Amino acid sequence: MTNTDHTSLAEQAGSREIPDAAIAMIDAKGTVMGWTQAAEQLVGYSAQEVVGRSATHVLPPPEDAGRGSAVAEQCRAEDGWSGTVKVRHRDGRTLTMTLRVSLLWGQDADTRWLVSVTDIGSLSSGVVNGPVRESLLAHAPIGIAVCDPQLRCVWVNDASERYDGVPRHQRFGRRLKDSLPAVEAEALEVVIQQVLESGSTMVHEFRAWPPADRRREHAFSASFFCLQGADGTPLGVCCMIVDVTGNRRARERLAILSEASTRVGSTLDVMRTGQELAELAVPLLADHALVDLVESVPFGVEPSAGTGTTSGRTPPLRRAGLASVDLSLLELPWVREEVIHLHPASPLANVLRTGRSHLEPVLDPHGPWVDHDPVRAQKVRDTGVHSLMVVPIRARSSVLGLAVFSRSEEQTPFQEGDLLLAEELVTRAALSLENALQYARERAAALTLQRDLLPHRVRGGVAVEVASRYVPADMDRGVGGDWFDVIELSGARVALVVGDVVGHGINAAATMGRLRTAVRTLADLDLPPAELLAHLDDTVRRLNDEDVDPSDKVLKVVGATCLYAVYDPVTRRCTLARAGHPPPLIIDAQGQVTIPDLPAGAPLGLGLGLVPFESVELELPEGSLLAFYSDGLVESRDDDIDVGLHRLGAALAQPGPSLEDLCSRAMQTLPTQAQPDDVTLLLARTRALESAQVASWDLPDEPATVPTVRHLVARQLSEWGLEPLVTPVELIVSELVTNAIRHGDGPGRLRLIQHRVLTCEVSDTHTGRPRPRHPRGLDEHGRGLFLIAQLSRRWGSRCAGDGKIVWAEQDLPPTAVAV
C-alpha cells in the first residue's frame, strides 16, 4: 500500500487532529517514562526535562505533597483515580487541572500508570470542583492500549476487553490487525503510523459491534498520542478508545464543538464573534442564546480583574449576540448593541462578579430577579422559558461578559452535562474574543498613532483650496501606511504630498510618520520635486539598513511610494514627480479629466532607483482640480485599475459641489465590501494671484542699483498701503540686492508678493546658498544675513534654474487688508 493509499484511508476513516490532549506515562515508582508534545505545551516542561524524573516534579506542587501522597495511595487501592488537582507550570504558575489516572498492565504482570490531564483553569471553579464533573470522569469507561514503534501492544488496561472482547494476555506482542477485524485494524494502524511520524495527536472514529452488545453497531472514538522519551524520540503510541454511541443530543454536542472551531472567531470583530457564538448554540444546545460583553470590550478595553467585586456594582453590558428559534424575539427589547444593566440580585450579576457558572434547571418566571424588569419578565413568560444556564466569558483573570442559554420549545431542562458543553463552547469562543480584543487594542493604538501623525487640518494658503479623506483598512488587515500633507512654501507656493508605506499595522504607521517628517524637512530646504524624492529614497534606504537585525533570517525591507508636487499661484505652474505612486487626476473647469504623462519612478527604498527621478512642469488654468490618492481608492480584486480611475474621475468631474462634497462623493464610489487597503484622497483646487499683487524689477549688475531699488520698493509699498513696512523692507532689499551684485556674475531680479504675508525675493546667478556668519568686532562685512533674520518673520533660499532665490517674509500690518 502506498503512502497515498494510507492518507486516503485515514481521511476516509475520519481522522483529525485535536489540540488539547496531555498524556504522560508513569511507572510503579512514580517516575515519568513517556511524555507528549501537548503535555509540554500545557505545563511548559519538555520531555527531556521530565522523562526519568519523579512525577512530583510537576504534580503536585510541594505545598500539596500531602494530597499527592493520598492520591497515590488511592490510585493503588482502586486501580486508578480521577478528579481535579493543582499542577505546577514551568514558569511557576499553578494550574487547575482535570486529571485521570488509569492502571496499565504489561507482560509478566508489570504495571504502569497513564495520566491524562485537561486544563480547566479558565472554566468556572464552582463547576470544576463539583461532584458532577468528577462523576463524569470516574464513570466514563476508556479502553487504553500502548503500542511500541513496531505497532505491537505492550501495555493495556482492563477496560479494553469490553470493546473488542480480546483478553489482555492475548494482546501483548501482537499488532492490532492480529486481534481486530481487518478494516478497522488497517485504518487504526494507518493513524498510528501517522502519529509516530508527526508526533501530533489524532482522533479516529469508527464503528464496530462490541461483545457486550452484538445486536447493534456502536460508534467509537479512538484518540492517539505520541509518547516521547527523554531524547524526544517516539517510544510508542497511546490509544484511548471511548464508546461515543449516544442519543441525538450527544451527537449534536460533538457537532457543536466541531463547528465551534470554524464558525466562531471568523473575524477579529468582538461583536461579530459574540453573534457567532449565539448562532452556533441555537438550536443545537438551546432555544435562545444571548451574549453580553462588558461595555468597554467592544472598544478594545479589557475589564480589570475583579470587575464589580470591590465596589459592589456590576458594570453595564452591551449585547453582542442573540439568536432564537422564535424570530419574534429578535425584536425589541432584545436587540444587538443594546446596553444591559443587570439587577444586583440576579444570577447573571453574581456570575459576572464571581466568574462561576450558574445552572437553573427549572426557572421561576416570577422570581424577584426577573420582576425588576417588567418588560423582560413578561417576555420570559410569553416565550415559556423554563430552564436557564449562565456561563462567564473569561480571558485570563478577567470576565469579558456572559453567555445566557435558555429553553422553551425543548421541554427537557438543562442538565449538568449541558453546562459542561456550554462551558467548553464558551471557552473556545473566549479565545477568539481575547484575540479580537488584543487586535482591537493594537488597531486602536495604530489608528491613534496614524491619526496623530497625519495632519489634523490641511491649509493651502492663497495657492490652493484643499480637502482630504482618509479611511483605514478593514479589521482583518489593520491600519496601513498611507499619508498625505499640504506644506506652505515661500513665495505663496504650496507643496502637495501623498504617499503609501508597504504593509499594515503599527509598524507601517510609525514608518509613515518618519517619512512624513522627512518630507517636511526636505520641503523646508525648498528642493525641486525630483531632487526631494531622491533624498527621500536615500532616507528610506538608510532606515532599512538601520533596522536590519543580523539575527533575522528574513531581510526586512521597507518600501514606499510617494507623489510630490509644488504649485506656484504667481505663475500657475505645477511641478510634479513621483516614486512608484499612481499619477494624479487633473480636472479642468469644464469637467475634462486628464492624467498627466508623468514618469513613474521606482518605489522608495527598494534599491531600484537606477534611473533618476524626473519632474514634469504643467501650466494649470485657475480653478483646476488636482486629485491625489492612494491605490486603495482605485484598485479592487474584481476590476482593473483603469476602471477605478474612470470611476473616480467621473465622480470628481461633477460641476458645482464644494471640495468636501466631492471628497464624500469619491468615497461613495468604493465597493461596499470591507476595504483591503487604506484609502486616501487629497483634493486641491488651484488659485492664481492677481497681477496687482506681484511687483518685479530687473536688477542691473552695478552698485548704483541699490538706491534705485530702495526707491522702487518704497513706492510700491505705499501703493499697497503698507507704509509701516517701508523701512524694514528697504533694509532687507538693500542687503539682498547688495549680496546678489557682489556674489553674482550677471543681472538679477527683485520680486515683491503681497498675499498673507509680504514676500521679498531676490534672484541671482550664483548657486551657492547664503550662510550666516559670526563676524568679529572690527569686521566690515558678515552682518547682512543677521540683520535680515532680525527684521523678518522668516527667511531662506531655494534653487531656481541656473542660480538661486533668497527670500524674506514680513507680517502684514494690522491695518492692511489680507488677501
Side-chain angles (χ1 to χ4, degrees):
M1 182 176 291
T2 65
N3 291 336
T4 303
D5 294 331
H6 280 277
T7 303
S8 175
L9 181 60
E11 290 175 349
Q12 294 174 3
S15 302
R16 65 184 189 276
E17 286 190 288
I18 61 174
D20 52 357
I23 302 294
M25 179 178 283
I26 302 174
D27 66 10
K29 298 180 180 179
T31 302
V32 177
M33 305 301 296
W35 197 249
T36 62
Q37 291 181 357
E40 178 179 352
Q41 295 172 2
L42 189 63
V43 298
Y45 291 96
S46 65
Q48 183 178 6
E49 295 172 303
V50 175
V51 174
R53 304 183 64 178
S54 173
T56 57
H57 182 64
V58 177
L59 172 72
E63 59 269 19
D64 294 338
R67 188 187 179 199
S69 301
V71 169
E73 292 299 327
Q74 187 173 355
C75 288
R76 296 186 183 96
E78 301 178 6
D79 293 340
W81 182 85
S82 63
T84 58
V85 295
K86 301 289 186 180
V87 175
R88 180 177 55 202
H89 193 276
R90 192 177 187 276
D91 61 12
R93 290 182 290 129
T94 299
L95 306 175
T96 302
M97 301 287 181
T98 297
L99 179 142
R100 177 170 183 151
V101 183
S102 303
L103 177 64
L104 301 182
W105 296 93
Q107 286 183 317
D108 301 326
D110 289 340
T111 60
R112 285 192 179 178
W113 303 96
L114 192 79
V115 180
S116 58
V117 180
T118 304
D119 182 8
I120 55 174
S122 60
L123 299 179
S124 144
S125 59
V127 176
V128 168
N129 295 324
V132 175
R133 189 184 297 274
E134 295 190 1
S135 176
L136 290 174
L137 288 170
H139 297 291
I142 299 178
I144 303 175
V146 177
C147 300
D148 62 15
Q150 288 72 43
L151 310 188
R152 298 171 301 193
C153 180
V154 291
W155 302 95
V156 69
N157 74 336
D158 291 331
S160 297
E161 185 174 349
R162 74 174 64 188
Y163 292 116
D164 53 23
V166 180
R168 68 170 183 253
H169 66 274
Q170 296 180 12
R171 296 176 182 271
F172 299 128
R174 303 175 65 186
R175 296 175 57 159
L176 289 175
K177 65 181 181 181
D178 298 328
S179 57
L180 291 177
V183 175
E184 289 83 0
E186 187 176 5
L188 291 174
E189 288 195 353
V190 168
V191 180
I192 293 174
Q193 191 65 45
Q194 289 179 343
V195 172
L196 279 172
E197 293 173 357
S198 66
S200 60
T201 299
M202 305 289 291
V203 172
H204 172 77
E205 293 184 1
F206 64 96
R207 295 181 177 273
W209 285 263
D213 188 5
R214 295 289 188 182
R215 294 173 299 176
R216 64 190 181 103
E217 187 181 52
H218 283 233
F220 295 93
S221 177
S223 301
F224 298 86
F225 312 91
C226 183
L227 293 171
Q228 298 178 336
D231 57 357
T233 59
L235 298 178
V237 175
C238 172
C239 174
M240 304 176 68
I241 301 179
V242 180
D243 189 340
V244 295
T245 307
N247 56 23
R248 175 180 59 87
R249 186 162 299 281
R251 303 303 297 174
E252 289 174 348
R253 291 171 182 170
L254 293 176
I256 291 173
L257 295 179
S258 176
E259 287 287 314
S261 60
T262 57
R263 289 179 53 186
V264 178
S266 62
T267 69
L268 291 172
D269 184 345
V270 293
M271 298 294 282
R272 180 59 195 163
T273 301
Q275 181 63 27
E276 290 171 344
L277 172 58
E279 291 174 351
L280 180 63
V282 175
L284 296 180
L285 175 62
D287 295 328
H288 320 285
L290 302 174
V291 178
D292 296 335
L293 301 176
V294 175
E295 192 175 21
S296 62
V297 170
F299 301 101
V301 180
E302 182 177 348
S304 58
T307 297
T309 59
T310 56
S311 63
R313 299 178 181 177
T314 54
L317 306 176
R318 186 173 295 273
R319 183 136 299 160
L322 72 160
S324 174
V325 294
D326 184 357
L327 296 181
S328 65
L329 290 183
L330 302 182
E331 303 172 359
L332 289 173
W334 290 357
V335 295
R336 291 191 71 203
E337 307 287 346
E338 178 188 8
V339 176
I340 310 298
H341 297 277
L342 301 178
H343 190 276
S346 70
L348 283 75
N350 186 60
V351 170
L352 195 63
R353 286 192 296 267
T354 64
R356 298 190 182 99
S357 299
H358 173 81
L359 170 63
E360 198 161 340
V362 180
L363 175 65
D364 181 5
H366 299 280
W369 69 273
V370 177
D371 280 338
H372 83 279
D373 189 335
V375 177
R376 286 185 174 81
Q378 188 61 46
K379 202 75 171 179
V380 169
R381 299 185 188 106
D382 293 343
T383 55
V385 171
H386 61 81
S387 190
L388 181 76
M389 294 187 299
V390 185
V391 179
I393 304 173
R394 299 178 59 90
R396 296 190 296 270
S397 59
S398 301
V399 178
L400 302 181
L402 305 172
V404 182
F405 308 97
S406 59
R407 282 180 179 170
S408 59
E409 302 293 331
E410 172 64 54
Q411 295 304 311
T412 305
F414 287 122
Q415 304 295 327
E416 292 285 353
D418 296 311
L419 183 60
L420 298 181
L421 174 62
E423 289 178 329
E424 176 66 20
L425 188 63
V426 171
T427 298
R428 298 190 181 197
L431 295 176
S432 299
L433 283 170
E434 187 174 1
N435 290 336
L437 181 61
Q438 180 178 354
Y439 176 79
R441 288 195 298 265
E442 293 177 355
R443 187 171 190 270
L447 273 174
T448 300
L449 173 63
Q450 188 174 47
R451 286 170 178 164
D452 286 345
L453 293 174
L454 288 175
H456 296 277
R457 181 183 178 188
V458 289
R459 294 182 296 183
V462 297
V464 292
E465 175 192 359
V466 291
S468 62
R469 288 289 188 278
Y470 167 74
V471 179
D474 62 30
M475 290 289 291
D476 291 339
R477 292 164 180 83
V479 177
D482 284 14
W483 93 89
F484 62 92
D485 210 345
V486 179
I487 308 168
E488 294 188 61
L489 304 175
S490 63
R493 297 169 307 130
V494 66
L496 304 167
V497 193
V498 65
D500 186 2
V501 176
V502 175
H504 294 86
I506 197 166
N507 290 333
T511 301
M512 174 273 291
R514 298 165 80 178
L515 293 187
R516 177 172 177 251
T517 301
V519 169
R520 278 194 160 263
T521 301
L522 294 172
D524 285 341
L525 298 177
D526 237 327
L527 299 176
E531 186 177 345
L532 182 142
L533 291 181
H535 283 284
L536 190 61
D537 182 51
D538 291 338
T539 299
V540 176
R541 280 188 282 179
R542 281 198 302 270
L543 291 177
N544 283 337
D545 294 339
E546 293 171 0
D547 291 341
V548 169
D549 186 348
S551 63
D552 288 344
K553 296 181 180 180
V554 179
L555 181 63
K556 298 179 181 178
V557 177
V558 174
T561 64
C562 184
L563 172 62
Y564 185 83
V566 175
Y567 174 71
D568 188 343
V570 177
T571 63
R572 294 185 289 103
R573 302 193 71 83
C574 182
T575 307
L576 310 94
R578 62 184 177 127
H581 202 83
L585 300 183
I586 301 178
I587 302 96
D588 62 21
Q590 290 71 42
Q592 183 69 31
V593 180
T594 59
I595 300 177
D597 186 11
L598 182 61
L604 303 171
L606 301 185
L608 302 178
L610 301 179
V611 179
F613 298 102
E614 297 181 53
S615 295
V616 170
E617 189 174 70
L618 306 173
E619 184 172 341
L620 302 176
E622 184 177 3
S624 297
L625 180 64
L626 295 169
F628 300 80
Y629 52 90
S630 62
D631 53 7
L633 184 58
V634 294
E635 290 184 351
S636 68
R637 302 185 187 93
D638 303 324
D639 298 322
D640 188 76
I641 188 173
D642 291 337
V643 177
L645 288 173
H646 177 75
R647 185 172 58 242
L648 175 61
L652 298 178
Q654 301 298 323
S658 66
L659 292 188
E660 291 293 337
D661 292 337
L662 283 178
C663 281
S664 300
R665 181 178 295 174
M667 291 298 107
Q668 292 172 2
T669 66
L670 292 171
T672 55
Q673 65 265 28
Q675 292 302 306
D677 199 1
D678 287 11
V679 173
T680 300
L681 176 63
L682 175 64
L683 298 182
R685 180 170 284 144
T686 63
R687 296 168 174 158
L689 290 183
E690 298 179 3
S691 58
Q693 296 175 254
V694 181
S696 61
W697 303 272
D698 292 327
L699 302 176
D701 187 13
E702 54 188 39
T705 301
V706 176
T708 303
V709 168
R710 291 169 62 97
H711 173 71
L712 294 174
V713 167
R715 186 174 64 184
Q716 184 62 59
L717 294 180
S718 298
E719 291 179 4
W720 283 341
L722 303 179
E723 287 84 356
L725 298 182
V726 170
T727 300
V729 173
E730 282 184 330
L731 291 173
I732 292 173
V733 168
S734 296
E735 292 297 334
L736 293 180
V737 173
T738 300
N739 286 341
I741 294 173
R742 178 176 299 159
H743 300 291
D745 53 3
R749 190 168 183 82
L750 167 65
R751 185 170 69 166
L752 297 181
I753 306 173
Q754 182 198 12
H755 50 109
R756 291 184 176 177
V757 296
L758 177 69
T759 302
C760 175
E761 297 180 344
V762 174
S763 61
D764 60 50
T765 57
H766 190 258
T767 57
R769 296 289 186 95
R771 293 182 298 174
R773 295 168 56 186
H774 299 280
R776 290 169 294 188
L778 298 179
D779 288 348
E780 297 182 1
H781 304 287
R783 296 178 175 82
L785 294 180
F786 177 78
L787 178 63
I788 292 173
Q790 294 297 311
L791 296 175
S792 307
R793 65 189 301 268
R794 63 175 190 148
W795 74 278
S797 64
R798 65 178 185 269
C799 295
D802 295 332
K804 68 175 181 299
I805 294 175
V806 184
W807 54 269
E809 292 180 350
Q810 282 282 327
D811 288 319
L812 297 179
T815 56
V817 178
V819 178

